[in-house]
């Protein structure tokens, strides 16, 4: 049920004509209250798309009445006109819904450096508003797809309250966020500050640790909207855990649908002296193109793992490193371990454990293999 | 003429039987003096191969009589036995040549985590010594090839003195060195400290700025040996420039032969506030998989360039960035510039200029495109 699983929300997804394919390309999510508290996390890329610049302003007040999202164009690197277009889109939503534009967040995804076709986008907003429904969550999730092969939704239910969400993203997944648009909704009755704390804590250990191809987007946005319509204010720990679960579920779905990937790789770093060390090592492994190719070829090439660990500043001794691939400790004490022929790599999920033997901290980074299909998808003209 | 272009050196390259293919796999370079001054630069990877650990000790005294190099096995992540093997190889060379083992540098390249076949390697040393010749430079360059399609040599001649060299490397090229073995020789009459200064200065702006796939090797080694047999001590500036030219030439050859690449990409960062900023931005662009795929598809996707710049800490304003691809300023002031259709990308060399409009410093990083062939070469079993 996506963003409409929680009470107090309506949504829709329609084809406005932004995509030349005629596929759905415009989604609307509306918070019908009684509260409209919100929090957001945005790309840390310093080259930010116009809708990100707009929505960062919106989220400062902690109040969001509606989110309008389009696929078919990122509205990034489009100059002052791009910002005017994002603003105009928010104004149009505000007019149609009878709200203030400063409470309307805007998200865009698609090609960089191309202006949005406002002549079809603005009429599309009216069409989307006319189709708003308590059952519109799926359609909204479908309308934000770009190269995604499936739409992604997730719901976790608490004691009388719910957290639900939708996500798009299928490449350019990297820290500081995975490239994606995510809208989460809840009917819990919470303040913006509480939402913000829960959302940042969840992103830090979920979307921030999804690193499909090391590339950071200009458009990443994760929003959390609370309607308060359940009338329940859950314990912070319970709520934060529910948000983390939804984010983790959506993050896992993003990795599972990454462009051209044939493997989902769970890089688990253990025995680290600090969590920062564990994350640094996990990212270094997850970004090693040679390892990603080897995994694609079902080659348990632990030498590539050690090479990647060796480029980090983490605390470790080379002759104490251990590496397991799918449960087989192919590297022990920095040298040859168990027989690599024992490693079964037939399945899509691959589990690499890197033991730094330097402490008790851990972190897990998810990534994908590097494939000819990835190259193909991203080398076609203006993919 | 490779490493035998300078007076005072002999070299050889033979098939010892380390490679199952039967191709040449063992090279020997001998400094016949009268001087045997030397300098070396090694991988900054903290997981270092046994021969690197050995040669780092050798180079400390600034004296090298001979270098023995093998392809067909990296002797990396091979534990204490690996170090014993590197040591035993140096001892064997020392015995055969009547020198001290502590003056014999050892280099290895090939698969990580597999012990060297010492039963064929040691007899190979005798065979290589028997074939030492003042014309052996080419054969030595051929014997160190792994996936290289061509051998790489370069010579620069000064006023009565010469700098020559050979290199291997065709992938895993990254900063802190490109993955490679390089041996440079000169008949100039210089102290080890002078050689070291010239070599480090040259590496910093050549091999350190070659970044084919962002992956750093465990085995990188660049050695510079001086025989002094010309009897000439050139001005430091002249000598350093000659070393830089040879390194730049070899570095360009490495990029031109990178595994599976179809494009050589020159990333030139201009208008930077500092050289460090320029290098950071250049590396970020050079490592962006999405851009590398786009270039493979001959797509002048400047949005990927801006995304990559945006992930750095360099000084710049997003709305002042300019990007040219093959001479066409496709991005001006952070937005759409000249018509992308004007960009001609048919040729192997692609030139990207990223103007940060924040100062006067520059840096150039060389990289390759990302191709299905790269994936194929690196996903075959234990490539």
């Amino acid at each position: 049920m996506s963003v409409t699983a929680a009470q107090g929300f309506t949504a829709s997804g329609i084809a406005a004509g932004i995509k030349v394919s005629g596929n759905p390309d415009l989604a609307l999510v509306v918070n019908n209250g009684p509260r409209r508290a919100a929090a957001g996390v945005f790309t840390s890329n310093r080259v930010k798309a116009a809708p990100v610049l707009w929505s960062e302003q919106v989220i400062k007040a902690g109040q969001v009445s509606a989110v309008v999202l389009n696929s078919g164009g990122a509205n990034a690197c489009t100059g002052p006109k791009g910002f005017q277009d994002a603003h105009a889109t928010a104004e149009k939503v505000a007019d149609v819904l009878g709200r203030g534009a400063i409470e309307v967040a805007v998200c865009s995804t698609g090609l960089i450096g191309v202006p949005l076709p406002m002549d079809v986008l603005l009429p599309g907003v009216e069409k989307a508003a006319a189709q708003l429904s308590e059952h519109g969550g799926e359609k909204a999730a479908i309308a934000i797809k770009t190269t995604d092969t499936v739409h992604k939704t997730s719901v976790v239910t608490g004691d009388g309250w719910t957290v639900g969400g939708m996500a798009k993203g299928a490449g350019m997944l990297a820290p500081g966020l995975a490239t994606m648009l995510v809208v989460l909704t809840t009917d819990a009755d919470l303040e913006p500050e509480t939402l913000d704390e829960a959302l940042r804590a969840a992103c830090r250990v979920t979307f921030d640790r999804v690193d499909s191809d090391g590339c950071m987007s200009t458009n990443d946005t994760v929003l959390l909207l609370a309607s308060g319509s359940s009338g329940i204010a859950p314990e912070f720990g319970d709520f934060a855990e529910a948000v983390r679960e939804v984010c983790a579920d959506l993050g896992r779905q993003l990795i599972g649908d990454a462009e051209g990937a044939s493997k989902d790789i769970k890089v688990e770093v253990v025995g680290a002296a600090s969590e920062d060390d564990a994350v640094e090592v996990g990212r270094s492994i997850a970004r090693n193109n040679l390892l990603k190719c080897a995994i694609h070829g079902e080659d348990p090439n632990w030498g590539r793992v050690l090479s990647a660990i060796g480029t980090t500043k983490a605390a470790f001794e080379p002759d104490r490193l251990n590496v397991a691939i799918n449960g087989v400790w192919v590297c022990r004490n920095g040298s040859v371990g168990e027989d690599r022929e024992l490693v079964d790599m037939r399945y899509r999920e691959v589990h690499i454990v890197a033991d730094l033997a330097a402490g008790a901290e851990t972190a897990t980074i998810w990534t994908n293999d590097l494939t000819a299909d990835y190259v193909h998808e991203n080398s076609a003209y203006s993919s």
Side-chain angles (χ1 to χ4, degrees), chain A:
Chain A
M1 286 283 285
S2 172
V3 289
T4 46
Q7 299 174 59
F9 293 91
T10 50
S12 61
I14 60 121
I18 304 166
K19 287 179 180 167
V20 288
S21 65
N23 286 332
D25 51 21
L26 192 73
L28 200 54
V29 180
V30 177
N31 183 349
N32 299 298
R35 307 271 309 248
R36 49 197 159 75
V41 176
F42 301 92
T43 182
S44 54
N45 198 310
R46 291 169 58 200
V47 176
K48 296 181 203 295
V52 169
L53 295 171
W54 169 261
S55 297
E56 282 182 335
Q57 295 302 315
V58 168
I59 216 70
K60 278 186 181 168
Q63 306 288 321
V64 172
S65 290
V67 185
V68 57
L69 310 95
N70 76 274
S71 51
N75 195 11
C77 305
T78 42
K81 178 65 165 60
F83 190 81
Q84 288 166 21
D85 287 346
H87 185 185
T89 305
E91 289 283 0
K92 180 71 181 180
V93 172
D95 283 352
V96 171
L97 298 179
R99 316 276 178 112
I102 195 56
E103 293 188 358
V104 178
V106 181
C107 301
S108 298
T109 177
L111 188 61
I112 295 176
V114 179
L116 288 176
M118 297 302 287
D119 57 325
V120 299
L121 195 152
L122 295 180
V125 168
E126 291 186 28
K127 186 176 168 190
Q131 297 191 18
L132 283 167
S133 154
E134 290 177 6
H135 308 289
E138 295 292 320
K139 283 192 175 172
I142 290 166
I144 60 175
K145 286 169 57 186
T146 54
T147 55
D148 307 63
T149 63
V150 293
H151 63 285
K152 290 104 179 170
T153 65
S154 183
V155 175
V156 168
T157 305
D159 188 11
W161 52 273
T162 294
V163 177
M166 66 179 184
K168 72 78 41 181
M172 211 157 54
L173 302 173
L177 289 185
T179 290
M180 61 174 107
L181 303 180
V182 178
V183 179
L184 309 176
T185 57
T186 181
D187 43 23
D189 187 5
L190 296 168
E191 298 299 322
E193 295 73 22
T194 308
L195 300 178
D196 186 69
E197 188 179 347
L199 184 61
R200 288 183 189 280
C203 284
R204 195 178 74 83
V205 295
T206 58
F207 297 127
D208 277 354
R209 295 187 184 175
V210 165
D211 193 340
S212 173
D213 61 5
C215 297
M216 186 194 290
S217 160
T218 49
N219 287 56
D220 297 321
T221 302
V222 182
L223 299 171
L224 169 57
L225 279 56
S227 69
S229 70
S230 71
I232 298 172
E235 290 292 319
F236 178 76
D238 294 343
F239 179 72
E241 174 59 18
V243 173
R244 192 200 61 76
E245 278 181 41
V246 170
C247 290
D249 185 17
L250 291 172
R252 182 69 187 83
Q253 291 180 53
L254 292 172
I255 280 289
D257 192 30
E259 283 174 354
S262 72
K263 302 285 187 190
D264 302 340
I265 309 171
K266 180 183 185 177
V267 180
E268 185 179 0
V269 180
V270 303
S274 69
E275 187 180 356
D276 283 351
D277 274 9
V279 171
E280 184 191 0
V281 168
R283 260 195 223 307
S284 179
I285 296 170
R287 289 185 171 187
N288 189 280
N289 278 353
L290 290 167
L291 175 67
K292 290 154 77 86
C293 287
I295 298 297
H296 176 55
E298 305 191 343
D299 169 10
N301 197 327
W302 57 268
R304 304 300 196 207
V305 177
L306 260 65
S307 286
I309 297 172
T311 64
T312 70
K313 296 188 172 70
F316 71 85
E317 293 301 324
D319 59 0
R320 295 195 63 199
L321 295 171
N322 306 300
V323 176
I325 301 179
N326 283 354
V328 181
W329 288 93
V330 284
C331 170
R332 285 209 184 271
N333 296 319
S335 184
V336 186
E338 294 175 35
D339 186 354
R340 49 180 288 150
E341 300 297 331
L342 298 174
V343 182
D344 182 353
M345 298 184 70
R346 286 173 297 173
Y347 303 101
R348 184 173 174 106
E349 188 166 319
V350 175
H351 186 193
I352 297 174
V353 181
D355 173 18
L356 303 185
E361 298 300 318
T362 69
T364 297
I365 304 283
W366 280 92
T367 189
N368 295 107
D369 57 343
L370 182 55
T371 72
D373 286 345
Y374 174 90
V375 173
H376 180 74
E377 284 207 37
N378 290 297
S379 61
Y381 188 79
S382 287
S383 63

